[in-house]
Amino acid sequence: QVQLVESGGGLVQAGGSLRLACTAKGIPFTILHMGWYRQAPGKQRELVAAITPSGSTNYGDSVKGRFTISRDNTKNTVDLQMNSLKPEDTAVYYCNGDTYYQSGNYWGQGTQVTVSS
C-alpha cells in the first residue's frame, strides 16, 4: 500500500534547471527520512540528497552547492531543485523513504533526467 511516485524528469540543456517532486502515499509522511538517489548506466546508485523529518539535510559531494532538497509535510511531498545541471547529472533519479526506527524502506519507480551538452 506504500507508494512513492516521482515526477518532473525530462530533457534540459547544460546549465539549466529542473525540479523533481516525490509524493508519498499509504504511510505517515512525517516519520520518513527522505532521500533522492540516482543511477547512470554502468554506475552505482548514489545518494544525491537526504532530508530528515525535522528538515536536516545532507548532500552528495557531486551536487553540493547546485541541488537543494526540501519537504512539505502538509502535502506529503519532497522536492529536489536541480540548478547548473551538467551532462554527468544524466541518470534515473529515485525517491526513497526510510522509517529509520521501524526498519521500513521504500523506493519510487524513478524518473529520467537527461542533460544535453
Side-chain angles (χ1 to χ4, degrees), residues 30 51-56 71 73:
T30 55
I51 186 167
T52 70
S54 62
S56 180
R71 68 190 296 158
N73 289 339

Side-chain angles (χ1 to χ4, degrees), residues 81-102:
Q81 179 65 48
M82 309 163 66
N83 298 326
S84 302
L85 284 162
K86 306 174 181 179
E88 50 262 47
D89 294 318
T90 296
V92 178
Y93 284 70
Y94 296 91
C95 180
N96 174 262
D98 194 285
T99 60
Y100 190 66
Y101 293 109
Q102 301 182 44

Side-chain angles (χ1 to χ4, degrees), residues 46-79:
E46 64 175 347
L47 173 70
V48 177
I51 186 167
T52 70
S54 62
S56 180
T57 59
N58 190 38
Y59 296 91
D61 289 341
S62 63
V63 306
K64 287 180 179 177
R66 299 189 296 122
F67 292 7
T68 302
I69 189 171
S70 61
R71 68 190 296 158
D72 187 340
N73 289 339
T74 69
K75 298 191 295 184
N76 293 357
T77 59
V78 59
D79 291 353

Side-chain angles (χ1 to χ4, degrees), residues 8-26:
L11 176 65
V12 66
Q13 291 185 322
S17 298
L18 208 59
R19 189 176 184 90
L20 307 182
C22 173
T23 301
K25 298 181 65 177

